[in-house]
mmCIF file of all heavy atoms in Angstrom:
data_model
loop_
_atom_site.group_PDB
_atom_site.id
_atom_site.type_symbol
_atom_site.label_atom_id
_atom_site.label_comp_id
_atom_site.label_asym_id
_atom_site.label_seq_id
_atom_site.Cartn_x
_atom_site.Cartn_y
_atom_site.Cartn_z
ATOM 1 N N ALA A 9 -20.209 -9.246 9.631
ATOM 2 C CA ALA A 9 -20.388 -9.411 8.190
ATOM 3 C C ALA A 9 -20.151 -10.841 7.713
ATOM 4 O O ALA A 9 -20.683 -11.243 6.678
ATOM 5 C CB ALA A 9 -19.437 -8.465 7.443
ATOM 6 N N LEU A 10 -19.357 -11.615 8.459
ATOM 7 C CA LEU A 10 -18.991 -12.957 8.026
ATOM 8 C C LEU A 10 -19.415 -13.985 9.073
ATOM 9 O O LEU A 10 -19.692 -13.631 10.224
ATOM 10 C CB LEU A 10 -17.473 -13.049 7.799
ATOM 11 C CG LEU A 10 -16.894 -12.143 6.707
ATOM 12 C CD1 LEU A 10 -15.370 -12.285 6.673
ATOM 13 C CD2 LEU A 10 -17.491 -12.475 5.345
ATOM 14 N N PRO A 11 -19.448 -15.274 8.703
ATOM 15 C CA PRO A 11 -19.773 -16.311 9.689
ATOM 16 C C PRO A 11 -18.767 -16.312 10.836
ATOM 17 O O PRO A 11 -17.630 -15.849 10.696
ATOM 18 C CB PRO A 11 -19.685 -17.610 8.875
ATOM 19 C CG PRO A 11 -19.900 -17.190 7.458
ATOM 20 C CD PRO A 11 -19.303 -15.827 7.337
ATOM 21 N N GLY A 12 -19.204 -16.862 11.972
ATOM 22 C CA GLY A 12 -18.366 -16.865 13.152
ATOM 23 C C GLY A 12 -17.019 -17.530 12.961
ATOM 24 O O GLY A 12 -15.991 -17.034 13.450
ATOM 25 N N HIS A 13 -16.984 -18.665 12.238
ATOM 26 C CA HIS A 13 -15.705 -19.363 12.061
ATOM 27 C C HIS A 13 -14.731 -18.532 11.234
ATOM 28 O O HIS A 13 -13.518 -18.566 11.467
ATOM 29 C CB HIS A 13 -15.925 -20.734 11.422
ATOM 30 C CG HIS A 13 -16.580 -20.689 10.072
ATOM 31 N ND1 HIS A 13 -17.942 -20.750 9.907
ATOM 32 C CD2 HIS A 13 -16.049 -20.596 8.826
ATOM 33 C CE1 HIS A 13 -18.231 -20.696 8.616
ATOM 34 N NE2 HIS A 13 -17.107 -20.599 7.941
ATOM 35 N N ALA A 14 -15.247 -17.758 10.274
ATOM 36 C CA ALA A 14 -14.375 -16.882 9.485
ATOM 37 C C ALA A 14 -13.802 -15.771 10.358
ATOM 38 O O ALA A 14 -12.644 -15.370 10.201
ATOM 39 C CB ALA A 14 -15.147 -16.283 8.310
ATOM 40 N N ALA A 15 -14.611 -15.285 11.296
ATOM 41 C CA ALA A 15 -14.126 -14.253 12.211
ATOM 42 C C ALA A 15 -13.034 -14.794 13.126
ATOM 43 O O ALA A 15 -12.055 -14.099 13.425
ATOM 44 C CB ALA A 15 -15.289 -13.715 13.046
ATOM 45 N N VAL A 16 -13.186 -16.037 13.573
ATOM 46 C CA VAL A 16 -12.166 -16.654 14.426
ATOM 47 C C VAL A 16 -10.853 -16.785 13.672
ATOM 48 O O VAL A 16 -9.778 -16.461 14.192
ATOM 49 C CB VAL A 16 -12.634 -18.034 14.928
ATOM 50 C CG1 VAL A 16 -11.506 -18.747 15.686
ATOM 51 C CG2 VAL A 16 -13.850 -17.893 15.830
ATOM 52 N N VAL A 17 -10.923 -17.260 12.435
ATOM 53 C CA VAL A 17 -9.709 -17.426 11.628
ATOM 54 C C VAL A 17 -9.046 -16.069 11.390
ATOM 55 O O VAL A 17 -7.824 -15.919 11.542
ATOM 56 C CB VAL A 17 -10.032 -18.120 10.290
ATOM 57 C CG1 VAL A 17 -8.797 -18.131 9.385
ATOM 58 C CG2 VAL A 17 -10.521 -19.544 10.537
ATOM 59 N N THR A 18 -9.847 -15.074 11.013
ATOM 60 C CA THR A 18 -9.305 -13.742 10.737
ATOM 61 C C THR A 18 -8.618 -13.150 11.959
ATOM 62 O O THR A 18 -7.495 -12.640 11.886
ATOM 63 C CB THR A 18 -10.418 -12.797 10.268
ATOM 64 O OG1 THR A 18 -11.034 -13.331 9.090
ATOM 65 C CG2 THR A 18 -9.863 -11.415 9.959
ATOM 66 N N ALA A 19 -9.292 -13.214 13.102
ATOM 67 C CA ALA A 19 -8.725 -12.635 14.326
ATOM 68 C C ALA A 19 -7.485 -13.386 14.775
ATOM 69 O O ALA A 19 -6.510 -12.775 15.243
ATOM 70 C CB ALA A 19 -9.774 -12.647 15.432
ATOM 71 N N THR A 20 -7.487 -14.704 14.638
ATOM 72 C CA THR A 20 -6.320 -15.494 15.053
ATOM 73 C C THR A 20 -5.123 -15.219 14.163
ATOM 74 O O THR A 20 -3.992 -15.096 14.638
ATOM 75 C CB THR A 20 -6.660 -16.994 15.033
ATOM 76 O OG1 THR A 20 -7.799 -17.246 15.858
ATOM 77 C CG2 THR A 20 -5.494 -17.816 15.555
ATOM 78 N N VAL A 21 -5.369 -15.103 12.860
ATOM 79 C CA VAL A 21 -4.269 -14.822 11.937
ATOM 80 C C VAL A 21 -3.716 -13.421 12.168
ATOM 81 O O VAL A 21 -2.493 -13.223 12.278
ATOM 82 C CB VAL A 21 -4.736 -14.981 10.473
ATOM 83 C CG1 VAL A 21 -3.677 -14.464 9.508
ATOM 84 C CG2 VAL A 21 -5.046 -16.441 10.177
ATOM 85 N N CYS A 22 -4.592 -12.445 12.270
ATOM 86 C CA CYS A 22 -4.140 -11.058 12.425
ATOM 87 C C CYS A 22 -3.490 -10.820 13.783
ATOM 88 O O CYS A 22 -2.570 -9.999 13.901
ATOM 89 C CB CYS A 22 -5.314 -10.102 12.233
ATOM 90 S SG CYS A 22 -5.937 -10.037 10.536
ATOM 91 N N GLY A 23 -3.945 -11.518 14.802
ATOM 92 C CA GLY A 23 -3.369 -11.336 16.122
ATOM 93 C C GLY A 23 -2.222 -12.277 16.428
ATOM 94 O O GLY A 23 -1.332 -11.941 17.219
ATOM 95 N N GLY A 24 -2.229 -13.468 15.804
ATOM 96 C CA GLY A 24 -1.219 -14.469 16.114
ATOM 97 C C GLY A 24 -0.039 -14.512 15.167
ATOM 98 O O GLY A 24 1.108 -14.721 15.589
ATOM 99 N N ALA A 25 -0.297 -14.314 13.869
ATOM 100 C CA ALA A 25 0.794 -14.379 12.898
ATOM 101 C C ALA A 25 1.904 -13.368 13.181
ATOM 102 O O ALA A 25 3.092 -13.702 13.043
ATOM 103 C CB ALA A 25 0.233 -14.191 11.482
ATOM 104 N N PRO A 26 1.589 -12.123 13.586
ATOM 105 C CA PRO A 26 2.674 -11.183 13.904
ATOM 106 C C PRO A 26 3.563 -11.660 15.052
ATOM 107 O O PRO A 26 4.781 -11.442 15.037
ATOM 108 C CB PRO A 26 1.936 -9.897 14.276
ATOM 109 C CG PRO A 26 0.629 -9.992 13.576
ATOM 110 C CD PRO A 26 0.277 -11.437 13.612
ATOM 111 N N LEU A 27 2.977 -12.294 16.052
ATOM 112 C CA LEU A 27 3.769 -12.815 17.165
ATOM 113 C C LEU A 27 4.635 -13.980 16.702
ATOM 114 O O LEU A 27 5.805 -14.102 17.089
ATOM 115 C CB LEU A 27 2.845 -13.254 18.301
ATOM 116 C CG LEU A 27 1.991 -12.146 18.932
ATOM 117 C CD1 LEU A 27 1.028 -12.731 19.959
ATOM 118 C CD2 LEU A 27 2.880 -11.098 19.581
ATOM 119 N N THR A 28 4.063 -14.847 15.869
ATOM 120 C CA THR A 28 4.845 -15.956 15.314
ATOM 121 C C THR A 28 5.984 -15.430 14.461
ATOM 122 O O THR A 28 7.107 -15.949 14.496
ATOM 123 C CB THR A 28 3.936 -16.869 14.475
ATOM 124 O OG1 THR A 28 2.861 -17.349 15.287
ATOM 125 C CG2 THR A 28 4.708 -18.060 13.926
ATOM 126 N N LEU A 29 5.711 -14.392 13.688
ATOM 127 C CA LEU A 29 6.754 -13.771 12.854
ATOM 128 C C LEU A 29 7.941 -13.362 13.717
ATOM 129 O O LEU A 29 9.098 -13.626 13.367
ATOM 130 C CB LEU A 29 6.172 -12.568 12.119
ATOM 131 C CG LEU A 29 7.097 -11.793 11.175
ATOM 132 C CD1 LEU A 29 6.274 -11.105 10.095
ATOM 133 C CD2 LEU A 29 7.930 -10.725 11.904
ATOM 134 N N ARG A 30 7.691 -12.697 14.828
ATOM 135 C CA ARG A 30 8.780 -12.215 15.675
ATOM 136 C C ARG A 30 9.604 -13.364 16.234
ATOM 137 O O ARG A 30 10.839 -13.317 16.273
ATOM 138 C CB ARG A 30 8.211 -11.375 16.819
ATOM 139 C CG ARG A 30 7.615 -10.046 16.365
ATOM 140 C CD ARG A 30 7.090 -9.269 17.544
ATOM 141 N NE ARG A 30 6.650 -7.918 17.171
ATOM 142 C CZ ARG A 30 6.192 -7.031 18.032
ATOM 143 N NH1 ARG A 30 6.109 -7.349 19.325
ATOM 144 N NH2 ARG A 30 5.815 -5.834 17.624
ATOM 145 N N VAL A 31 8.906 -14.422 16.703
ATOM 146 C CA VAL A 31 9.611 -15.571 17.273
ATOM 147 C C VAL A 31 10.481 -16.248 16.220
ATOM 148 O O VAL A 31 11.661 -16.543 16.443
ATOM 149 C CB VAL A 31 8.595 -16.567 17.867
ATOM 150 C CG1 VAL A 31 9.274 -17.863 18.269
ATOM 151 C CG2 VAL A 31 7.887 -15.960 19.069
ATOM 152 N N VAL A 32 9.897 -16.493 15.044
ATOM 153 C CA VAL A 32 10.620 -17.197 13.983
ATOM 154 C C VAL A 32 11.754 -16.333 13.434
ATOM 155 O O VAL A 32 12.859 -16.826 13.169
ATOM 156 C CB VAL A 32 9.643 -17.607 12.861
ATOM 157 C CG1 VAL A 32 10.402 -18.175 11.655
ATOM 158 C CG2 VAL A 32 8.647 -18.633 13.387
ATOM 159 N N ARG A 33 11.509 -15.036 13.262
ATOM 160 C CA ARG A 33 12.560 -14.143 12.753
ATOM 161 C C ARG A 33 13.791 -14.175 13.657
ATOM 162 O O ARG A 33 14.929 -14.286 13.181
ATOM 163 C CB ARG A 33 12.020 -12.718 12.666
ATOM 164 C CG ARG A 33 13.047 -11.692 12.171
ATOM 165 C CD ARG A 33 12.571 -10.278 12.440
ATOM 166 N NE ARG A 33 12.379 -10.054 13.875
ATOM 167 C CZ ARG A 33 11.734 -9.007 14.371
ATOM 168 N NH1 ARG A 33 11.200 -8.097 13.581
ATOM 169 N NH2 ARG A 33 11.598 -8.876 15.685
ATOM 170 N N ASP A 34 13.590 -14.072 14.960
ATOM 171 C CA ASP A 34 14.719 -14.082 15.887
ATOM 172 C C ASP A 34 15.428 -15.434 15.879
ATOM 173 O O ASP A 34 16.661 -15.500 15.996
ATOM 174 C CB ASP A 34 14.237 -13.757 17.301
ATOM 175 C CG ASP A 34 13.737 -12.318 17.432
ATOM 176 O OD1 ASP A 34 14.079 -11.496 16.553
ATOM 177 O OD2 ASP A 34 12.992 -12.026 18.393
ATOM 178 N N ALA A 35 14.654 -16.514 15.737
ATOM 179 C CA ALA A 35 15.269 -17.837 15.689
ATOM 180 C C ALA A 35 16.100 -18.006 14.418
ATOM 181 O O ALA A 35 17.194 -18.572 14.449
ATOM 182 C CB ALA A 35 14.187 -18.917 15.754
ATOM 183 N N VAL A 36 15.606 -17.505 13.297
ATOM 184 C CA VAL A 36 16.346 -17.602 12.034
ATOM 185 C C VAL A 36 17.641 -16.806 12.130
ATOM 186 O O VAL A 36 18.703 -17.251 11.652
ATOM 187 C CB VAL A 36 15.484 -17.097 10.859
ATOM 188 C CG1 VAL A 36 16.316 -17.010 9.577
ATOM 189 C CG2 VAL A 36 14.301 -18.024 10.637
ATOM 190 N N ARG A 37 17.597 -15.637 12.734
ATOM 191 C CA ARG A 37 18.806 -14.839 12.891
ATOM 192 C C ARG A 37 19.866 -15.595 13.694
ATOM 193 O O ARG A 37 21.061 -15.501 13.414
ATOM 194 C CB ARG A 37 18.481 -13.526 13.593
ATOM 195 C CG ARG A 37 17.739 -12.521 12.709
ATOM 196 C CD ARG A 37 17.346 -11.303 13.528
ATOM 197 N NE ARG A 37 16.749 -10.257 12.708
ATOM 198 C CZ ARG A 37 16.220 -9.141 13.190
ATOM 199 N NH1 ARG A 37 16.226 -8.926 14.516
ATOM 200 N NH2 ARG A 37 15.699 -8.232 12.396
#
């Protein structure tokens, strides 16, 4: 439905941000 670059951004954010969240959350604790 969207251009290829938008799909890359969407997939990277949805797949990568949760992993970054876990790393940063544990570091903040």
Side-chain angles (χ1 to χ4, degrees):
L10 298 176
H13 60 269
V16 173
V17 173
T18 301
T20 304
V21 170
C22 291
L27 298 175
T28 302
L29 181 154
R30 291 181 173 182
V31 171
V32 172
R33 179 194 61 193
D34 293 342
V36 172
R37 287 175 174 174

